[in-house]
Amino acid sequence: MIFNPRNIIIAIALVGAGTTSVPAQSLADLNAAKRYEIDAKRQGVDMTREEAVPASREFIRIDSTYYVGWMIQGIFNAERAADYNGYKLAIAPLEKALTLIERDYATILRTRTADPLEYVKLYKRHADYSNTANYLFQAYQNVEQNENSYKLLRRIQQWNMQKEIVLNGYNMLSWIVHRNRFYTYRTYDFLKGNLEENEVLSDRFLDSSLARIQANQSVNRQVFPESSLQYELQNVYHYKAILHAYHLRIDSALYYFRLMENGGLMSYNNYGTFCAIQAKFSEAEEAYAVASMQDAGDKRLQEWAYYSSIVDIYKGMPMQAAISMRDIIHSVGSTPGFGWYNIALARACSYEGNLAESQRFLDKAAQFKEVHIGTTLGESHYEFSINLLRLMNKKKEIRQQQFEDRNWCWHPRALWSIAMLKGEAYLQQYLVANQLAANPERENVVYKLFSTESTISWDEIWYLIRGYSTAYFYNKFESQLKVDPRPKVYKYFNLYLARLDMEQGHYQRAQERLVRTLSFAEDIEEDYEKLFLARVYEALIICADKNDQDAMWKSSLVNMYRLYPQLMPYAEFKMHFRLKVSGNNNAVLSALKKYNIDLDEQDAALPLVSLNFTAAGNKKSVTYSVTDADGKRIVSSTTLVINDIDETVRSIAYGLFKIQPLDTQPDVNHGG
């Protein structure tokens, strides 16, 4: 029998006023009547919409000891939360609701039955309990209360419910261990002593989940349809696939992805990343496209969007990556993922050649308090990505100075500026190197070049390791090449080994490795690996120059420009063009010569720059374009009105490499 303390106080007051007694049964009936009223009124209330607010207040007013009003309030707050404070606001009512359910319905929560008619009587309380616990668990996770998350899961398991309905305890135990795998028991009591032990524990929890599902079949097979069992199993497969993919157990991960696909519950976001870490970028792109529809409306970080932008960069389409990130920032505003999208936009701008814009978006990401919801990507990944991109940009700024002033070494101001930039780059590299050294999963995430938990591209790693322990990294990548189970990734290790050979002065050996890598044409998907090919040709240009091989130097230069012209101004060498001029403007032509570009070549194999000067009254214009040796347009015709000579020439110099400003930049508030 359930008593309402408030009614007991009323009864005592009535006795003191002269009333002889109030039967206990009357109090129980009054209490039951109120709860019956609440249960009737809650039907049809959408706990995620505004109607939930007055409903929860009314229910708490009617009976504050009944869990329903607190549950609705907590779920509404959790659904509307988008930052740390929002989820903190959801925790208190959810905790209260869970405690009240446990107090009033403990017998029901413990009851297990194979009788469908009996289970119908239990289902509402079981479902409310599981749903409340799930929202509370997510709120704890989103404010990084991992100890409370663990205790909550163990608390749920003590009821031994035959069907956990929403929140599977063992699956989530596996999740929080894997998500915090790089910590130890010194940080969280539920963890082990190192990353490897944590991962074993995470997998063991999933095995326990499978065993429990099977054991519960003795009561559930008469109550639930077969599809319900399959749904439970699919959830375990989801986390099994994540663990196996992380450890590069490719066959095992694929096995679980196929089970999910056959069961109709495939996580295309995770499958896309699984394909990407195998350098199967076309398959990854297809999976991410499906994930974009599968996750439509989800307010958490859309990993498919972040990683799709990296695939676009691999494809030689950084502007497309920038536009897609700009659009998603505009659509989601300052919600979870805003910081990650700004990192992705900064990366795209950097590869597009717009360093100032890249830095602006990195600053936005750094100032935003990101909430890492529903993802294993945490604050350490976030900060590492920002700092590594800052390092990449700083090193590019040095090249930019040299590109904009071909005689920089004779100009004191340029020398001073470059010296300052080199000092800043060194400090930034030291910062990132220390972050890497403190990262216990660098072996699994950084040194393997592609990883499910990596938030940087394979190309960015070079900016980190270049100049540091060349022999160490050579041995590291050579060892990885021998044991890595991903054949399409081998060429990336070979590129890194060739670059490290070059760092040690072994240009001939590096060149041979690069040429051998290019010879396996069937292993290279040019449409999706333009960045890779451009970096191979970039290395070949340097090797051919050192080895006095003019033909290879020239063909590699042309190929790199054809594949990824945006990289050229930031390379260690200058681009060579042929030039055709129509009309005349000596001021523009003279100013263009200060840039580190050779426009005086006559070799027909080189790209052709066309400059067409026109004048209409006082208005002077120039139209530029670039075609290859076969007449195919590489840079489309672009017309500029000549107002400021320096600005016009700067636009031409960068425009020859398809570097254009990103139009209509998003202006989104970034509170957090």
Side-chain angles (χ1 to χ4, degrees):
M1 185 177 293
I2 300 171
F3 293 93
N4 186 326
R6 179 172 175 271
N7 292 336
I8 294 174
I9 294 171
I10 293 172
I12 294 171
L14 290 172
V15 171
T19 304
T20 56
S21 67
V22 177
Q25 186 61 43
S26 298
L27 295 176
D29 290 343
L30 180 61
N31 201 34
K34 289 180 176 182
R35 296 187 175 191
Y36 181 84
E37 178 186 357
I38 292 172
D39 285 341
K41 288 183 174 180
R42 73 174 278 195
Q43 301 303 315
V45 174
D46 187 338
M47 289 182 274
T48 67
R49 302 176 69 87
E50 291 293 341
E51 65 193 74
V53 176
S56 67
R57 289 172 180 167
E58 180 186 5
F59 299 159
I60 292 170
R61 178 183 56 78
I62 294 172
D63 185 354
S64 62
T65 68
Y66 193 33
Y67 73 88
V68 173
W70 301 107
M71 177 184 71
I72 293 174
Q73 183 186 113
I75 290 175
F76 176 81
N77 290 345
E79 281 289 334
R80 294 304 176 96
D83 58 16
Y84 182 91
N85 290 331
Y87 285 104
K88 283 284 286 184
L89 192 64
I91 288 174
L94 289 169
E95 287 179 334
K96 190 173 185 68
L98 204 70
T99 299
L100 291 173
I101 299 175
E102 290 176 334
R103 185 196 67 183
D104 293 342
Y105 299 100
T107 301
I108 288 177
L109 294 179
R110 289 195 183 95
T111 301
R112 297 164 61 86
T113 178
D115 184 342
L117 295 178
E118 284 299 314
Y119 187 78
V120 168
K121 301 174 185 177
L122 311 173
Y123 179 76
K124 182 170 72 171
R125 307 306 176 190
H126 283 209
D128 282 350
Y129 183 80
S130 184
N131 202 31
T132 302
N134 183 56
Y135 275 101
L136 181 56
F137 174 78
Q138 297 302 330
Y140 282 151
Q141 283 290 282
N142 296 336
V143 297
E144 299 296 339
Q145 292 187 13
N146 289 298
E147 289 287 4
N148 281 341
S149 297
Y150 180 83
K151 291 174 183 176
L152 174 63
L153 294 172
R154 289 307 198 187
R155 174 179 168 185
I156 294 165
Q157 288 181 325
Q158 73 178 352
W159 300 105
N160 193 28
M161 295 164 64
Q162 68 187 74
K163 190 81 163 177
E164 291 178 322
I165 304 176
V166 179
L167 183 64
N168 183 295
Y170 280 118
N171 287 354
M172 291 302 97
L173 286 169
S174 173
W175 168 260
I176 64 172
V177 170
H178 176 62
R179 189 168 186 259
N180 296 283
R181 61 197 171 276
F182 30 76
Y183 299 117
T184 70
Y185 56 81
R186 295 180 181 87
T187 304
Y188 299 119
D189 288 343
F190 58 85
L191 293 177
K192 298 295 185 180
N194 56 51
L195 187 147
E196 290 74 20
E197 291 177 352
N198 287 334
E199 287 297 278
V200 170
L201 176 62
S202 181
D203 198 38
R204 191 182 302 144
F205 280 135
L206 294 179
D207 290 339
S208 297
S209 182
L210 289 172
R212 188 174 188 279
I213 290 169
Q214 295 299 334
N216 282 338
Q217 279 300 93
S218 61
V219 291
N220 283 336
R221 67 167 55 95
Q222 301 300 322
V223 178
F224 296 97
E226 177 65 21
S227 59
S228 176
L229 167 64
Q230 291 304 315
Y231 180 80
E232 285 187 293
L233 293 172
Q234 293 289 311
N235 282 318
V236 184
Y237 301 158
H238 172 86
Y239 295 104
K240 280 282 189 180
I242 289 174
L243 288 185
H244 286 300
Y246 170 73
H247 290 286
L248 297 186
R249 297 191 284 261
I250 301 300
D251 291 342
S252 296
L254 185 60
Y255 170 77
Y256 286 107
F257 277 119
R258 291 291 175 245
L259 286 176
M260 283 191 285
E261 185 177 40
N262 294 335
L265 289 175
M266 169 73 103
S267 170
Y268 283 95
N269 175 73
N270 289 334
Y271 182 69
T273 302
F274 175 65
C275 292
I277 67 167
Q278 299 175 75
K280 297 179 178 179
F281 301 118
S282 58
E283 293 179 46
E285 185 177 58
E286 291 175 5
Y288 288 145
V290 178
S292 69
M293 296 179 286
Q294 191 177 58
D295 296 342
D298 197 321
K299 65 182 178 181
R300 299 173 299 175
L301 163 67
Q302 303 296 294
E303 288 185 4
W304 61 264
Y306 181 86
Y307 287 117
S308 289
S309 71
I310 296 179
V311 173
D312 281 338
I313 288 169
Y314 293 164
K315 293 168 64 178
M317 300 171 64
M319 179 61 82
Q320 177 59 44
I323 290 171
S324 65
M325 288 299 97
R326 177 201 64 187
D327 290 347
I328 197 168
I329 290 170
H330 184 74
S331 66
V332 304
S334 297
T335 60
F338 176 87
W340 284 110
Y341 304 140
N342 272 280
I343 292 173
L345 180 51
R347 175 184 292 109
C349 288
S350 181
Y351 279 93
E352 178 59 26
N354 289 302
L355 300 188
E357 287 297 280
S358 178
Q359 191 56 48
R360 182 162 79 91
F361 293 117
L362 281 178
D363 290 342
K364 277 192 173 186
Q367 294 161 10
F368 181 70
K369 176 60 178 176
E370 183 63 87
V371 181
H372 307 286
I373 298 176
T375 177
T376 53
L377 309 179
E379 192 63 23
S380 61
H381 301 85
Y382 189 77
E383 293 177 358
F384 183 73
S385 300
I386 291 173
N387 285 326
L388 185 53
L389 284 171
R390 287 193 195 279
L391 172 62
M392 183 172 76
N393 283 348
K394 193 61 66 177
K395 291 192 173 184
K396 284 186 174 183
E397 282 182 51
I398 297 169
R399 296 294 178 194
Q400 185 177 50
Q401 293 262 336
Q402 296 167 344
F403 173 72
E404 294 183 3
D405 184 1
R406 69 192 304 170
N407 295 315
W408 61 271
C409 56
W410 302 105
H411 297 153
R413 181 177 296 178
L415 283 168
W416 173 255
S417 177
I418 289 173
M420 292 294 292
L421 287 171
K422 285 184 176 179
E424 292 169 6
Y426 177 80
L427 291 175
Q428 187 67 24
Q429 188 165 20
Y430 182 76
L431 170 65
V432 179
N434 280 337
Q435 279 187 304
L436 182 64
N439 183 354
E441 62 174 351
R442 59 186 178 274
E443 294 285 344
N444 293 341
V445 174
V446 178
Y447 300 153
K448 287 185 169 66
L449 298 185
F450 295 94
S451 166
T452 57
E453 300 299 333
S454 178
T455 55
I456 59 177
S457 72
W458 64 266
D459 187 56
E460 291 156 50
I461 296 170
W462 180 246
Y463 291 89
L464 169 61
I465 70 172
R466 185 178 186 182
Y468 274 100
S469 304
T470 301
Y472 170 81
F473 284 113
Y474 192 94
N475 292 333
K476 177 68 65 178
F477 289 127
E478 192 172 43
S479 298
Q480 289 290 343
L481 182 59
K482 293 176 182 177
V483 300
D484 198 284
R486 303 165 296 172
K488 288 184 176 292
V489 176
Y490 295 168
K491 56 183 174 286
Y492 291 89
F493 285 119
N494 277 313
L495 170 59
Y496 266 74
L497 288 168
R499 284 170 152 182
L500 291 167
D501 268 331
M502 293 163 62
E503 289 290 296
Q504 299 178 87
H506 304 313
Y507 293 102
Q508 185 59 42
R509 187 166 74 181
Q511 180 177 308
E512 291 171 359
R513 186 185 289 273
L514 293 166
V515 171
R516 192 163 58 248
T517 299
L518 287 175
S519 68
F520 296 102
E522 70 281 357
D523 194 39
I524 300 172
E525 194 173 6
E526 180 174 318
D527 287 346
Y528 287 86
E529 296 186 291
K530 287 184 178 178
L531 178 60
F532 166 75
L533 287 168
R535 291 304 192 195
V536 171
Y537 286 120
E538 180 182 37
L540 279 172
I541 292 165
I542 297 169
C543 289
D545 180 60
K546 296 291 184 179
N547 296 330
D548 294 323
Q549 295 178 310
D550 289 343
M552 177 168 287
W553 175 87
K554 190 177 300 178
S555 64
S556 298
L557 190 76
V558 170
N559 279 323
M560 182 180 177
Y561 178 78
R562 173 182 62 84
L563 288 161
Y564 224 122
Q566 298 94 330
L567 302 178
M568 304 296 282
Y570 308 103
E572 298 177 19
F573 42 81
K574 64 182 175 182
M575 182 60 195
H576 292 240
F577 294 102
R578 291 177 293 144
L579 178 63
K580 182 177 75 172
V581 179
S582 299
N584 187 37
N585 191 311
N586 289 330
V588 170
L589 291 172
S590 177
L592 194 56
K593 289 183 179 179
K594 90 167 192 175
Y595 286 83
N596 195 33
I597 309 170
D598 194 329
L599 293 167
D600 299 325
E601 290 284 348
Q602 302 301 317
D603 194 314
L606 294 171
L608 175 66
V609 172
S610 297
L611 297 177
N612 181 25
F613 295 99
T614 58
N618 293 327
K619 182 180 178 181
K620 297 180 179 180
S621 302
V622 58
T623 300
Y624 66 88
S625 63
V626 183
T627 54
D628 65 13
D630 298 323
K632 182 180 178 181
R633 188 66 56 87
I634 298 176
V635 176
S636 300
S637 292
T638 303
T639 301
L640 303 171
V641 176
I642 304 173
N643 292 319
D644 183 288
I645 293 292
D646 289 339
E647 283 301 312
T648 300
V649 170
R650 193 174 194 276
S651 295
I652 294 171
Y654 282 100
L656 297 180
F657 300 94
K658 296 181 73 172
I659 297 174
Q660 301 285 351
L662 177 63
D663 293 332
T664 58
Q665 301 284 6
D667 186 14
V668 180
N669 293 328
H670 48 86

